[in-house]
Amino acid sequence: MKIPFKYILRNFYSRKLTTTATVLGMTLVVVVFTVAFMMGMGIRKTLSVTGSENNALVVRKSSQGEISSIINREVADIISSLPQVAKSSEGKPLISTEPVVIFIQPKKGGGVSNLTVRGVTPVAFQIRDNIKLVEGKTFGFGSRELIVGKSISKRFNGVAIGDKVKLAGDMWTIVGVFDAGGSGFDSEVWGDSEQLLSAFQRTSYSTITFRLSDPKQIEQLKLQFDADKRLKQFTPEIERTYFSKQSNQTSGFIMGLGVFITLFIMVGAIIGAMITMFTAVANRTTEIGTLRALGFTRGSILISFLFESLLLSVVGCVLGLLISSTMSSMEVSTINFQSFSEIAFNFTLNIYIVLGAFAFSIFMGLVGGFLPSWRASRLKIIEALRAA
Amino acid sequence: MSAIQVDKIAKTYSRDKLVVPVLNDVTLSINEGEFVALMGPSGSGKTTLLNIIAGIDRPTSGRVSVLGTDIAGLSESELAKWRARTVGFIFQFYNLIPVLTAYENVELPLMLTPLTKEQRKQQVETALRVVGLADRMNHSPNQLSGGQQQRVAIARAIATDPDIIVADEPTGDLDKVSANEIMTLLERLNKEFKKTIVMVTHDPSAAERAHIVRHLEKGDLLPGEERHENA
């Protein structure tokens, strides 16, 4: 491009109002796009670090989530005797049979939301070694006590240590707060597996989690489940992989919705950019004629106006990313569609979202700027000069 | 030697279904180093003739040769390159780029040359010295008077050292004093720097400063020419 960059830049600054309005339109698009993807990625990130790579989690086939899975005690006994289940130093199988239920609790900001309650056995703390008690004490096995994840203690009322919550008609006491390292377990309430079963008058578990003697054997284990008529209604999966897959529907929905809204606003932003650039061409018709008379080609004019439009979109993109990045340390929550319960997560900005935002912006700049730029380049010199 | 040779050019504009003739079989020859003024009432076709000579408009028929190049046969991009090399433009309303300084305006046509930044700087400073505005090079057009803006435009026209300068009403927007300064400058470019100048003007006192004055009327170039020996 022969037309100097300072010509483009100074024209960009010279019409402050329209430039600002157009840039803000682009910024809005980028903020909506990035926030939606930061939410989606945040959910994925949270659930992808939930559980362990060394554990297998067994659910009933075709169950949409843990709460819709049912595994009876006979099956649990069969699974605990499988050779793939690792043993403790005392020779006991490292297996946790877990009922998973949900209950409603009021939120601090108003309203109510579902909370996941997971019944665990003492082994659960051995096979999920990132669970750390940060306040109070752990629940007593055999007693109606609960501990809450740190995200829950921040976001819900009535879950402080000493508070009592009503669960299956009984009152349960909150005795501690645990930190699960930013994973999905931070959004759960844990108690004694057997106490929960008796309170809810259930005889079956929801899921079974056990430490694999060799995590590489998971595929072989799946085949073994399929081949065994007692187990073929169930499927094992690496625990972390299972929770990671659980994030897909929720994060996919949020990101899809984000793209949908972005596309709508984008049409407005493109029209805004187009109007700005058409106005720029109309106001600078004589300049275009002069530049062409001096020897600048149609191509140079096209590129210079297109560049100006791209500048609008790139500045809007940078501004949008700056606004979005301020949210990256913010913790929010949403309903996980798989568990129907609240999950807390942080907005996560990564390089793919940044690149996506730039791609969207460049697209907006090119589409919005092309027609005006094309018109500018096709102006007849003498007609453009007559506009003086 | 003839610098500009116009042979039987005609120009018509079509508006809806109406064909409007602007130039009728005009033939004109301008020698190298001549300073020619084109005069005539509005709509006589003088600016159209100037635009065709400068390669920013094309004749409907006829041939235009400038310094041996048949410009009617050049493509759009070839013509753009040719203009950048050969022609310096001076407009009635100066046509400076408002967001650029005087220096940057003069540098504009040099951006189309292979000159280095340092070489461009020398050319720009020389051109601004010739027009007496070396001390205003960092001023933007709105910080300059009309006469000063036209002088910057002249510096821009001569920056690439073109052989031909076309000026469309160069004094049309100026007061008498400034107009006189501009005409003195054009005379100097013609005499000192041997530029061939074609100027369109309504102003008889400006036309008097040219060597030759040709008159157009209703698209026809009138026979006969005024020669100013003192010019």
Side-chain angles (χ1 to χ4, degrees):
Chain A
M1 186 178 64
K2 300 279 178 65
I3 293 176
F5 184 66
K6 55 194 161 200
Y7 171 71
I8 297 163
L9 203 61
R10 286 182 202 162
N11 273 307
F12 183 80
Y13 286 122
S14 67
R15 33 161 227 275
K16 290 185 182 63
L17 191 66
T18 48
T19 296
T20 307
T22 314
V23 164
L24 288 179
M26 302 280 189
T27 303
L28 180 67
V29 176
V30 171
V31 168
V32 171
F33 173 81
T34 48
V35 164
F37 273 76
M38 283 165 74
M39 279 180 80
M41 286 297 168
I43 292 168
R44 277 192 188 173
K45 192 178 166 189
T46 300
L47 289 180
S48 68
V49 296
T50 303
S52 165
E53 296 277 5
N54 298 319
N55 295 342
L57 184 143
V58 180
V59 288
R60 181 175 284 270
K61 275 180 183 169
S62 79
S63 62
Q64 294 297 304
E66 288 183 284
I67 56 166
S68 57
S69 171
I70 298 169
I71 304 175
N72 62 37
R73 286 175 188 270
E74 290 73 34
V75 172
D77 290 341
I78 295 166
I79 291 171
S80 67
S81 64
L82 291 172
Q84 287 88 351
V85 178
K87 305 274 192 304
S88 68
S89 52
E90 295 89 35
K92 290 183 178 172
L94 292 172
I95 188 164
S96 179
T97 48
E98 302 179 345
V100 178
V101 294
I102 54 175
F103 76 105
I104 290 173
Q105 189 67 15
K107 293 179 78 175
K108 278 186 176 161
V112 292
S113 191
N114 285 333
L115 278 179
T116 297
V117 184
R118 181 182 299 277
V120 296
T121 63
V123 170
F125 294 94
Q126 272 177 274
I127 61 176
R128 294 178 186 124
D129 43 19
N130 62 338
I131 309 290
K132 289 181 179 65
L133 198 73
V134 290
E135 228 181 298
K137 65 178 186 82
T138 190
F139 58 86
F141 284 95
S143 58
R144 304 235 156 162
E145 290 177 344
L146 297 168
I147 55 173
V148 296
K150 64 173 186 196
S151 295
I152 289 180
S153 68
K154 280 189 260 175
R155 309 184 71 81
F156 283 83
N157 282 325
V159 289
I161 292 173
D163 286 345
K164 289 184 186 298
V165 293
K166 196 169 184 182
L167 212 57
D170 289 340
M171 298 309 287
W172 296 62
T173 309
I174 308 292
V175 294
V177 177
F178 66 92
D179 181 351
S183 71
F185 293 140
D186 276 327
S187 298
E188 292 186 354
V189 179
W190 283 16
D192 178 5
S193 176
E194 290 304 325
Q195 287 295 311
L196 275 167
L197 284 175
S198 78
F200 281 87
Q201 297 179 336
R202 281 175 60 167
T203 54
S204 52
Y205 308 109
S206 300
T207 58
I208 293 173
T209 302
F210 60 87
R211 173 63 50 93
L212 283 160
S213 51
D214 179 4
K216 288 178 195 153
Q217 291 178 342
I218 189 70
E219 293 307 319
Q220 190 202 326
L221 191 62
K222 284 179 187 174
L223 294 174
Q224 198 175 322
F225 267 62
D226 285 339
D228 190 328
K229 63 180 181 184
R230 297 167 304 171
L231 299 177
K232 67 180 179 184
Q233 292 177 57
F234 307 96
T235 184
E237 183 61 274
I238 292 290
E239 188 186 23
R240 186 165 283 192
T241 308
Y242 175 81
F243 285 113
S244 183
K245 283 180 181 170
Q246 290 271 297
S247 71
N248 288 345
Q249 196 178 340
T250 309
S251 62
F253 174 78
I254 290 170
M255 289 194 277
L257 187 67
V259 169
F260 186 70
I261 297 169
T262 302
L263 288 175
F264 265 98
I265 311 172
M266 192 170 75
V267 173
I270 287 172
I271 292 170
M274 211 177 269
I275 291 168
T276 300
M277 292 311 297
F278 267 126
T279 310
V281 172
N283 289 341
R284 291 182 359 230
T285 302
T286 312
E287 284 176 36
I288 295 164
T290 306
L291 289 168
R292 294 273 288 113
L294 292 179
F296 290 94
T297 58
R298 289 185 193 280
S300 293
I301 302 290
L302 177 86
I303 290 169
S304 102
F305 275 88
L306 214 47
F307 206 89
E308 204 171 310
S309 175
L310 281 175
L311 199 60
L312 286 170
S313 59
V314 170
V315 171
C317 180
V318 171
L319 206 60
L321 285 172
L322 283 174
I323 293 169
S324 302
S325 66
T326 61
M327 299 178 182
S328 61
S329 57
M330 200 186 288
E331 189 183 89
V332 289
S333 65
T334 187
I335 292 290
N336 182 352
F337 297 160
Q338 244 82 26
S339 65
F340 303 109
S341 60
E342 176 115 342
I343 178 166
F345 59 93
N346 286 91
F347 283 96
T348 303
L349 185 62
N350 61 28
I351 186 69
Y352 299 106
I353 297 174
V354 172
L355 291 176
F358 270 105
F360 252 105
S361 303
I362 288 168
F363 176 76
M364 285 190 288
L366 284 177
V367 173
F370 184 76
L371 278 181
S373 306
W374 177 255
R375 181 176 147 66
S377 72
R378 304 311 294 177
L379 282 173
K380 287 187 174 171
I381 301 174
I382 48 165
E383 285 172 12
L385 289 172
R386 266 189 217 133
Chain B
M1 187 192 163
S2 177
I4 299 164
Q5 186 60 50
V6 176
D7 286 326
K8 291 190 172 179
I9 61 161
K11 179 74 183 176
T12 55
Y13 288 112
S14 299
R15 287 201 187 112
D16 299 323
K17 285 177 184 172
L18 202 68
V19 177
V20 183
V22 183
L23 289 174
N24 310 313
D25 286 340
V26 170
T27 296
L28 172 70
S29 181
I30 299 171
N31 290 331
E32 266 181 44
E34 273 186 344
F35 185 173
V36 176
L38 299 174
M39 293 191 80
S42 294
S44 60
K46 55 189 186 303
T47 296
T48 303
L49 178 58
L50 186 82
N51 290 341
I52 289 171
I53 290 170
I56 57 175
D57 199 359
R58 289 177 188 273
T60 310
S61 64
R63 185 175 163 273
V64 185
S65 172
V66 180
L67 299 170
T69 303
D70 179 4
I71 60 170
L74 298 178
S75 70
E76 196 70 44
S77 60
E78 286 169 338
L79 201 54
K81 283 180 195 156
W82 175 85
R83 281 196 304 271
R85 260 195 331 265
T86 319
V87 186
F89 287 87
I90 302 168
F91 303 97
Q92 180 179 357
F93 300 109
Y94 337 124
N95 291 21
L96 297 177
I97 307 296
V99 295
L100 299 180
T101 63
Y103 179 97
E104 290 159 349
N105 266 288
V106 178
E107 193 187 21
L108 258 185
L110 294 167
M111 303 298 284
L112 297 162
T113 67
L115 296 178
T116 63
K117 195 177 176 186
E118 189 50 41
Q119 287 169 325
R120 290 202 303 268
K121 184 170 182 271
Q122 284 174 10
Q123 298 264 101
V124 172
E125 286 173 355
T126 304
L128 283 169
R129 258 198 309 275
V130 168
V131 300
L133 284 176
D135 57 335
R136 301 288 170 97
M137 61 174 72
N138 293 320
H139 288 223
S140 60
N142 62 11
Q143 294 171 317
L144 300 171
S145 69
Q148 287 171 328
Q149 287 189 55
Q150 192 60 299
R151 282 197 274 158
V152 173
I154 292 171
R156 181 178 65 187
I158 61 171
T160 53
D161 195 24
D163 292 309
I164 293 169
I165 290 173
V166 294
D168 189 3
E169 302 275 11
T171 59
D173 195 46
L174 299 174
D175 58 65
K176 267 192 172 178
V177 176
S178 299
N180 186 46
E181 282 172 4
I182 294 302
M183 288 317 300
T184 305
L185 197 51
L186 287 180
E187 279 180 324
R188 192 176 155 215
L189 294 180
N190 175 248
K191 280 184 185 156
E192 239 178 82
F193 298 94
K194 310 294 178 202
K195 302 293 175 198
T196 303
I197 299 176
V198 187
M199 173 180 74
V200 162
T201 184
H202 273 110
D203 180 3
S205 60
E208 271 177 24
R209 313 283 280 267
H211 299 153
I212 298 166
V213 180
R214 298 296 306 263
H215 291 268
L216 285 103
E217 207 171 292
K218 292 180 182 171
D220 294 314
L221 186 68
L222 301 182
E225 57 186 34
E226 276 175 45
R227 281 195 172 264
H228 301 132
E229 296 306 325
N230 58 331

